[in-house]
């Protein structure tokens, strides 16, 4: 007994540092099996809660939907010197310091005045700086909430003195930039950071989100390099699953755009060779692949956004770093028309789009890039890409450990209902998958509501049916069922699915048969 108590104490102590010995041993064993597979074999990844990842991806999408996007440095410095980032590899950036709340309020007022036709604004409180260093950050989030504007934070999460207070204010999302699970790999690409501090703050994030029942989505952006795959990749994936955070790996890239233009023209800074050689796909190949497979951009989304420095200066876009890319020194004093004219006249945009550099930062990717990445990284990357190809897709839901089109799951639900009690468990499983993974699919809520009513869960049934009515106000069948359940105390026992005109049940049945 003493040994068991001691073992539990040791394990809980280790986990406070962000390391779980038992889970890590299990993952290491699974990884060892993966490494022994032949290259042409697609391995089975260690299991995670894929349905929750899908839900988080959908929630992040809704949190970021906006008519106008703004990136704004409220801190003019960063505590790290990452070699793939302009702060770590370039000189001549903007001023240091922090933005005052009153200046921020004036900027929000001008954004509204400049864009009277825009209803939803996404205000990201970062570009090159580290917003977590701002000790007044909670007040910035509170002000955005008061203005009805979406808020986003991107942080390396090494130092974040007001983390608890920020979560209490409920920002829309927090993106955490990571490139390793161990310092040996992390500090190579997040220079000056300490992964132990990051892990500790990730656990604190989970604690504070639970404490305040916050709806903030935490997105862990894992930058894939040759040096951190697959070992660190799998460990961070498991950590995200444990904490309930969205795992969002991306092939690491290189910034700023000025340096990439230099690479496109054959100029390489010797100080950058180390990080460039660590990229899975060389930058020159990334550009060539886009040039051969994609048309030149004629309307770059980055140029349509508003990008502001800590001093209120307006930058050409979020991908450039040099002060010669400033198109207005003071946003508050510059008319919108003058800013747009200065952007349109700047010669860098033509050079950038001509070499397809903008498409890197707009995440426009030809499929061949991921095929080449799989050739470098091996079967684990192929397995991950295959598993998550529909992650966040509005027409797909997770049933078991696989993505299926919602029509297929709906057809399976209807088929299960015809089997009576024998099909009840499968019907419940399908209804739950539709509710969790298809939040805009009224029929899923309708059938889930009827199932809840048949279990005698009247309050839950009313909630689900009310959601079905809200999604499809003109559906008389939904409304009748909702009013019936709301007006009676006895559960509904008989399940009679009503047809939904927008769903082809015949096609769904064919799809269902084809997938076994």
């Amino acid at each position: 007994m003493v040994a068991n108590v001691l073992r539990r104490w040791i394990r809980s102590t280790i986990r406070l540092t962000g390391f779980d010995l038992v889970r890590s041993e299990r993952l290491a064993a699974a990884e060892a099996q993966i490494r022994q597979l032949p290259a042409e074999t697609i391995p089975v990844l260690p299991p995670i809660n894929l349905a929750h990842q899908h839900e988080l991806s959908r929630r992040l999408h809704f949190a970021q939907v906006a008519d106008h996007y703004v990136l704004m440095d409220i801190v003019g410095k960063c505590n790290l010197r990452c070699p793939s980032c302009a702060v770590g590899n370039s000189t001549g950036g903007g001023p240091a310091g922090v933005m005052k709340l009153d200046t921020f309020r004036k900027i929000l007022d001008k954004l509204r005045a400049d864009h009277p036709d825009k209803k939803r604004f996404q205000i990201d409180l970062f570009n090159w700086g580290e917003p977590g260093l701002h000790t007044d950050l909670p007040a910035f989030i509170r002000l955005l909430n008061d203005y009805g504007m979406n808020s986003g934070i991107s942080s390396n999460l090494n130092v974040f003195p007001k983390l608890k207070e920020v979560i209490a204010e409920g920002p829309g999302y927090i993106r955490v930039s990571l490139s390793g699970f161990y310092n040996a790999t992390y500090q190579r690409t997040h220079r000056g950071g300490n992964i132990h501090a990051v892990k500790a703050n990730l656990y604190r994030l989970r604690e504070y989100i639970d404490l305040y029942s916050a709806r903030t989505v935490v997105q862990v952006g894992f930058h894939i390099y040759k040096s951190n795959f697959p070992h660190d990749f799998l460990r961070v994936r498991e950590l995200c699953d444990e904490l309930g955070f969205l795992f969002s790996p991306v092939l690491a890239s290189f910034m700023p755009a000025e340096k990439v233009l230099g690479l496109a023209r054959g100029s390489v800074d010797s100080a950058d060779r180390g990080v460039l050689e660590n990229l899975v796909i060389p930058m020159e190949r990334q550009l060539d692949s886009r040039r051969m497979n994609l048309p030149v951009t004629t309307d770059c989304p980055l140029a349509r956004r508003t990008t502001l420095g800590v001093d209120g200066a307006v930058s050409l876009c979020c991908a450039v770093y040099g002060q010669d890319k400033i198109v207005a020194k003071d946003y508050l004093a510059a008319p919108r028309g003058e800013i747009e004219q200065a952007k349109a006249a700047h010669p860098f945009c033509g050079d950038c789009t001509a070499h397809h550099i903008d498409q890197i930062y707009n995440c426009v990717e030809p499929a061949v890039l991921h095929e080449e990445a799989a050739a470098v990284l091996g079967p684990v990357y192929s397995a991950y890409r295959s598993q998550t190809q529909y992650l966040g897709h509005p027409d797909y839901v997770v049933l078991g450990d696989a993505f299926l089109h919602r029509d297929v799951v709906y057809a399976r639900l209807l088929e299960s209902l015809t089997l009576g009690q024998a099909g009840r468990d499968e019907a419940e499983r399908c209804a739950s998958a539709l509710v969790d993974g298809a939040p805009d699919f009224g029929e899923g809520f309708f059938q889930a509501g009827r199932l809840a009513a048949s279990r005698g869960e009247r309050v839950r049934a009313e909630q689900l049916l009310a959601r079905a009515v809200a999604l499809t106000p003109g559906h008389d069948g939904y409304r009748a069922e909702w009013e019936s359940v709301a007006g009676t105390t006895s559960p509904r026992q008989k399940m009679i699915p009503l047809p939904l005109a927008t769903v082809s049940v015949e096609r769904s049945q064919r799809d269902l048969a084809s997938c076994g």
Side-chain angles (χ1 to χ4, degrees):
M1 179 181 294
V2 174
N4 288 336
V5 171
L6 183 59
R7 179 180 174 85
R8 286 195 297 270
W9 178 82
I10 293 173
R11 185 181 177 193
S12 63
T13 302
I14 291 173
R15 290 189 65 177
L16 285 175
T17 69
F19 183 76
D20 186 327
L21 183 61
V22 174
R23 287 172 64 91
S24 296
E25 288 175 346
R26 174 170 58 81
L27 188 60
E31 183 181 334
Q33 292 178 341
I34 288 172
R35 287 180 180 275
Q36 296 171 3
L37 292 171
E40 66 272 11
T41 302
I42 300 297
V44 176
L45 294 170
I48 64 171
N49 188 341
L50 197 58
H52 189 50
Q53 290 291 303
H54 186 52
E55 178 193 353
L56 289 171
S57 183
R58 295 289 294 146
R59 281 175 50 196
L60 179 63
H61 168 74
F62 288 122
Q64 295 176 325
V65 169
D67 302 315
H68 188 65
Y69 294 86
V70 180
L71 291 98
M72 189 184 325
D73 270 332
I74 62 171
V75 176
K77 62 180 179 179
C78 183
N79 50 322
L80 304 190
R81 293 295 181 268
C82 304
S84 62
C85 173
V87 178
N89 64 38
S90 301
T91 58
V98 296
M99 184 178 288
K100 294 182 179 179
L101 187 63
D102 185 58
T103 300
F104 183 66
R105 181 183 290 107
K106 292 176 181 177
I107 289 174
L108 297 185
D109 289 335
K110 187 173 186 293
L111 283 167
R112 278 181 169 175
D114 281 354
H115 304 275
D117 56 324
K118 309 301 184 185
K119 303 300 181 184
R120 288 175 62 90
F121 289 83
Q122 172 66 44
I123 312 295
D124 288 331
L125 302 175
F126 60 89
N127 190 29
W128 300 112
E130 168 54 54
L133 299 176
H134 203 309
T135 55
D136 210 14
L137 181 55
F140 281 73
I141 302 297
R142 188 182 315 122
L143 187 60
L144 285 173
N145 291 336
D146 291 343
Y147 273 64
M149 295 179 174
N150 304 344
S151 58
I153 299 168
S154 181
S155 173
N156 59 58
L157 214 64
N158 277 264
V159 179
F160 207 123
K162 295 293 183 178
L163 183 60
K164 183 177 182 179
E165 293 83 355
V166 165
I167 296 302
E169 298 298 337
Y173 77 92
I174 295 179
R175 180 184 299 127
V176 181
S177 172
L178 269 181
S179 62
F181 188 83
Y182 303 105
N183 269 330
T185 45
Y186 176 77
Q187 291 178 341
R188 177 177 175 181
T189 44
H190 272 74
R191 191 178 296 150
N194 190 312
I195 195 61
H196 300 305
V198 178
K199 291 178 190 175
N201 280 328
L202 284 170
Y203 276 90
R204 292 188 182 99
L205 255 179
R206 180 73 268 166
E207 176 190 357
Y208 300 151
I209 288 173
D210 292 344
L211 175 65
Y212 295 110
S213 299
R215 293 287 293 169
T216 302
V217 178
V218 178
Q219 178 191 30
V220 176
F222 185 87
H223 301 255
I224 300 175
Y225 292 90
K226 289 187 288 188
S227 60
N228 65 14
F229 196 92
H231 197 69
D232 294 66
F233 172 89
L234 292 171
R235 296 297 172 94
V236 174
R237 177 176 177 267
E238 184 195 29
L239 180 62
C240 288
D241 182 51
E242 176 188 350
L243 296 177
F245 296 159
L246 178 61
F247 180 58
S248 297
V250 295
L251 296 175
S253 189
F254 186 71
M255 297 185 88
E258 293 97 322
K259 280 208 165 187
V260 178
L261 180 60
L263 291 173
R265 292 172 170 171
S267 174
V268 182
D269 189 329
S270 59
D272 297 329
R273 291 190 184 278
V275 68
L276 291 172
E277 291 172 357
N278 196 21
L279 296 178
V280 177
I281 306 294
M283 291 304 298
E284 295 87 349
R285 175 57 191 154
Q286 292 190 38
L287 294 173
D288 286 344
S289 178
R290 288 174 168 88
R291 178 178 54 80
M292 291 185 293
N293 293 279
L294 300 172
V296 172
T297 303
T298 57
D299 183 18
C300 178
L302 298 185
R304 296 198 301 267
R305 300 176 180 179
T306 301
T307 303
L308 303 177
V310 69
D311 57 349
V314 185
S315 182
L316 186 60
C317 76
C318 61
V320 296
Y321 192 64
Q323 291 299 287
D324 59 331
K325 311 302 186 304
I326 297 298
V327 296
K329 292 185 178 181
D330 183 3
Y331 174 71
L332 293 177
R336 175 185 174 184
E338 289 185 9
I339 293 174
E340 292 177 348
Q341 289 174 8
K343 284 186 176 183
H346 204 289
F348 186 83
C349 288
D351 292 334
C352 180
T353 56
H355 288 87
H356 297 261
I357 296 170
D358 62 295
Q359 294 171 351
I360 294 176
Y361 307 124
N362 281 309
C363 300
V364 181
E365 301 171 332
V368 67
L369 277 181
H370 292 286
E371 295 171 4
E372 293 178 11
V376 175
L377 299 173
V380 174
Y381 186 74
S382 297
Y384 175 79
R385 290 280 299 172
S386 176
Q387 182 189 65
T388 59
Q389 62 180 314
Y390 297 116
L391 187 70
H393 195 294
D395 294 335
Y396 282 79
V397 300
V398 177
L399 191 63
D401 59 353
F403 282 95
L404 293 175
H405 196 282
R406 72 178 190 183
D407 288 3
V408 174
V409 177
Y410 173 61
R412 186 174 292 184
L413 168 61
L414 297 185
E415 180 68 24
S416 300
L417 290 175
T418 66
L419 301 177
Q421 195 61 35
R424 180 59 179 258
D425 288 346
E426 182 66 7
E428 294 275 11
R429 202 165 69 100
C430 291
S432 178
L434 290 170
V435 167
D436 292 340
D440 54 352
F441 185 49
E443 182 70 4
F445 285 91
F446 172 71
Q447 297 293 356
R450 295 189 107 189
L451 284 166
S454 72
R455 296 192 303 268
E457 299 177 7
R458 179 180 171 187
V459 173
R460 178 60 175 162
E462 285 188 48
Q463 293 173 341
L464 292 166
L465 292 168
R467 180 61 180 160
V469 171
L471 288 169
T472 319
H475 199 300
D476 293 337
Y478 292 175
R479 183 169 296 279
E481 189 75 10
W482 176 45
E483 292 174 350
S484 174
V485 170
T488 180
T489 57
S490 60
R492 309 265 303 182
Q493 297 295 335
K494 191 174 181 180
M495 306 302 298
I496 307 175
L498 298 179
L500 182 64
T502 57
V503 175
S504 171
V505 177
E506 292 79 8
R507 178 171 65 84
S508 297
Q509 293 288 9
R510 289 197 303 272
D511 292 343
L512 179 60
S514 67
C515 68

